[in-house]
Amino acid sequence: MPSIARCKCLTEIRRSARGITRRFSNPAPADVVLADDAKWLRERWAMNGVPDAAMNEHLGVLGNRAAMEGALAWYRARGAIRGPLGPIRVPTLYIWGDADDTVGRVAAEGTVDFVAAPYRFEVLPGVGHFAADQSPERVSELLLAHVAAYPV
């Protein structure tokens, strides 16, 4: 990828990460996310096409403060990574929904430049950030094909 396109990709990734990390870095992020029966989270999931049954199933696991704090710790830890990690050296399947409001097209398509191994990029039309909830059959099909192509 030319350096300007790579810079755009990194800029988009960082912009998206900063917004999410900032939201989840306040003193009690689980309380914010779970407030009012997880209203913020439910609205975000609904905007991304997550079915109500899947929301309830996820909240059955993550709907308490301790579990949500653990899940949100990933976002806080991610902010601590400051230097390049180097190229990914394992076969990679990137499944991206073109309605994703978190990872934009430039960042999604630019990911290939950070992988030094077999790489496959699959776009799911009309699918948001939670592809496995919105299109479980297609995601399963893609994952099974990927695992079959690159057995351990």
Side-chain angles (χ1 to χ4, degrees):
M1 173 189 281
S3 62
I4 291 184
R6 187 178 183 121
C7 287
K8 284 183 180 180
C9 174
L10 288 172
T11 299
E12 184 174 327
I13 291 168
R14 288 180 183 133
R15 178 193 49 79
S16 175
R18 273 194 307 269
I20 291 171
T21 302
R22 203 172 17 251
R23 172 177 289 279
F24 297 149
S25 294
N26 73 52
D31 294 338
V32 172
V33 172
L34 294 173
D36 197 18
D37 192 32
K39 181 181 178 195
W40 176 84
L41 192 55
R42 288 177 185 276
E43 288 173 351
R44 173 158 170 64
W45 284 343
M47 286 185 328
N48 279 280
V50 175
D52 287 339
M55 289 186 215
N56 293 331
E57 189 173 339
H58 291 313
L59 287 171
V61 175
L62 296 172
N64 66 76
R65 189 174 198 277
M68 187 59 72
E69 285 291 347
L72 297 176
W74 181 85
Y75 292 96
R76 290 190 297 275
R78 183 175 76 168
I81 299 171
R82 300 286 183 236
L85 299 176
I88 304 302
R89 298 191 186 281
V90 296
T92 302
L93 169 65
Y94 191 141
I95 302 171
W96 179 72
D98 67 0
D100 190 328
D101 70 338
T102 301
V103 179
R105 182 171 291 276
V106 171
E109 290 177 347
T111 301
V112 67
D113 290 332
F114 301 92
V115 180
Y119 181 83
R120 181 173 174 192
F121 181 69
E122 286 289 333
V123 177
L124 303 183
V127 172
H129 189 66
F130 303 96
D133 288 315
Q134 285 183 270
S135 191
E137 295 83 13
R138 181 66 178 140
V139 169
S140 293
E141 176 186 319
L142 291 167
L143 286 171
L144 288 171
H146 181 72
V147 170
Y150 304 102
V152 177

